C-alpha cells in the first residue's frame, strides 16, 4: 500500500497550486518587506491624488470642477480597518486544529476574519463605485479621472499587501506554499 | 584596522554627499519641504533596530521570526518607500520642481545606502559581543 502524495489531502475541496517560488529561509522576511512596501505604495498613490487635487490649477485659469473630498477617503479607510482586523487575527486559531480553545473561539475568529475581509472587499467595491459615479459618469476632463483610478489602485494594492503578508506569516512552520484556508 | 578606517571615511563622504544633495534640492528653489526626506531616511532603520531585540531568544531557531520582528520590518519598509514616494508626490502636484525631486531622491538613496552599508560592514563585530 503506497502512501498518498504529501500535498494530496482528500478533505480539501479546492487545491490551489501556487507557482513554486523559493526564497529559501528568507521567504518570511522578503514577504514582510514586500507587504510593507505595497502598503506604502498604496497609500501614497491615493495621497498623491489628494495632494494633486489640493494644488490643481487648470491651465485655462478656472477653478477645477471637482476635488478629492471626504467621499474619496471612505473606501481607503474601510480597507485600512479591514487590513488591521485581518492581520490582528491569530493564524493558528483559524485552522482550529491546534487543540487550544473551544470551538466557539474558532467560530469567533472566523467571524472576525470574515468581517475583516468584508471590510476590505467593501473598500474595493466602494472605490470602484466612487470611480464610476463621481468621475466616469460625469463629463470631467481626463486629468480628473486620475483621482478615481488612484483610489481603485490604492484598494487593490492594500488587498495585495494583505495577501502577501498573510502568506508570508502563515507558512512559517512548514515548507509548503499553499494558501490554505 | 586600516580597512575599517577607510570604510568609515568613505561612508562618511557618501553620507555628506547625500545630505548635500538633499539640502541643495531645498535651497536652490527656496522650498524646504524636501528636507523631510532626510528625516524619513534617518529614522528608517529605527523600527528594525528597536524590534529586533524583541525577537528570538536562545531557544528558538534563528530563521524563525515572530510578530514584533515582522512589525519592525513592515514599518521599515513602509518608511523607506515613503521616503522615495514623498518627493515624487510633491513633484507630481507641482510643489517642487522635477530636478529637486530627482536630487532629493538620489540624496535620500545615498543616505539610506550609507546606513545599510554601515550596518552590513560592521555587523560582524556586533555578533562577537553577543
Amino acid at each position: 500500500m503506497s502512501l498518498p502524495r504529501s500535498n494530496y489531502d482528500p478533505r480539501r475541496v479546492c487545491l490551489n497550486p501556487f507557482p513554486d517560488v523559493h526564497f529559501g529561509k528568507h521567504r518570511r522576511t522578503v514577504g514582510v518587506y514586500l507587504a510593507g512596501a505595497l502598503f506604502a505604495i498604496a497609500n501614497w498613490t491615493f495621497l498623491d491624488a489628494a495632494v494633486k487635487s489640493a494644488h490643481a490649477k487648470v491651465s485655462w485659469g478656472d477653478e477645477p470642477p471637482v476635488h478629492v473630498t471626504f467621499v474619496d477617503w471612505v473606501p481607503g479607510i474601510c480597507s485600512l480597518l479591514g487590513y488591521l482586523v485581518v492581520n490582528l487575527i491569530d493564524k493558528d486559531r483559524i485552522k482550529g486544529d491546534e487543540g487550544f480553545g473551544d470551538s466557539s473561539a474558532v467560530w469567533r475568529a472566523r467571524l472576525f476574519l470574515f468581517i475583516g475581509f468584508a471590510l476590505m472587499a467593501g473598500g474595493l467595491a466602494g472605490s470602484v463605485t466612487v470611480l464610476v459615479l463621481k468621475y466616469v459618469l460625469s463629463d470631467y476632463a481626463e486629468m480628473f479621472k486620475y483621482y478615481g483610478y488612484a483610489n481603485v489602485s490604492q484598494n487593490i494594492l492594500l488587498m495585495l499587501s494583505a495577501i502577501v503578508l498573510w502568506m508570508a506569516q502563515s507558512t512559517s512552520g512548514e515548507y509548503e506554499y499553499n494558501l490554505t484556508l | 584596522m586600516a580597512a575599517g578606517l577607510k570604510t568609515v571615511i568613505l561612508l562618511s563622504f557618501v553620507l555628506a554627499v547625500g545630505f548635500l544633495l538633499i539640502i541643495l534640492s531645498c535651497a536652490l528653489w527656496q522650498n524646504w519641504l524636501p528636507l523631510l526626506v532626510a528625516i524619513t531616511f534617518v529614522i528608517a532603520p529605527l523600527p528594525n533596530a528597536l524590534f529586533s531585540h524583541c525577537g528570538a531568544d536562545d531557544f528558538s531557531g534563528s530563521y524563525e521570526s515572530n510578530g514584533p520582528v515582522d512589525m519592525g520590518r513592515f514599518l521599515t519598509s513602509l518608511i523607506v518607500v515613503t521616503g522615495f514616494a514623498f518627493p515624487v508626490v510633491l513633484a507630481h502636484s507641482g510643489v517642487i520642481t522635477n530636478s529637486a525631486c530627482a536630487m532629493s531622491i538620489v540624496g535620500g538613496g545615498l543616505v539610506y545606502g550609507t546606513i545599510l552599508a554601515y550596518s552590513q560592514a560592521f555587523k560582524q563585530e556586533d555578533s562577537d559581543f553577543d
Side-chain angles (χ1 to χ4, degrees), chain A residues 28 32-33 37 39 44 48 169, chain B residues 48 65 70 77-78 82 92:
Chain A
R28 187 181 170 110
V32 172
Y33 277 129
F39 185 82
W44 278 108
D48 179 44
Q169 288 191 317
Chain B
N48 254 352
S65 52
D70 283 349
S77 162
L78 194 142
T82 296
H92 190 207

Side-chain angles (χ1 to χ4, degrees), chain B residues 6-92:
Chain B
K6 273 181 203 163
T7 314
V8 167
I9 292 173
L10 178 72
L11 285 178
S12 61
F13 266 106
V14 175
L15 187 73
V17 169
F19 275 114
L20 173 75
L21 275 177
I22 292 180
I23 290 175
L24 267 187
S25 76
C26 302
L28 285 182
W29 289 271
Q30 276 92 36
N31 188 348
W32 291 87
L33 272 175
L35 205 60
L36 287 173
V37 175
I39 301 171
T40 309
F41 278 112
V42 166
I43 65 169
L46 197 62
N48 254 352
L50 285 180
F51 285 105
S52 65
H53 294 289
C54 312
D57 49 6
D58 293 338
F59 300 108
S60 58
S62 61
Y63 61 92
E64 199 172 330
S65 52
N66 49 6
V69 179
D70 283 349
M71 178 87 185
R73 286 179 177 146
F74 189 87
L75 285 180
T76 298
S77 162
L78 194 142
I79 294 174
V80 169
V81 175
T82 296
F84 283 114
F86 186 65
V88 174
V89 168
L90 286 184
H92 190 207

Side-chain angles (χ1 to χ4, degrees), chain A residues 14-32:
Chain A
C14 300
L15 191 67
N16 298 328
F18 217 74
D20 205 14
V21 188
H22 281 293
F23 294 111
K25 61 175 184 169
H26 298 298
R27 191 183 58 205
R28 187 181 170 110
T29 310
V30 169
V32 172

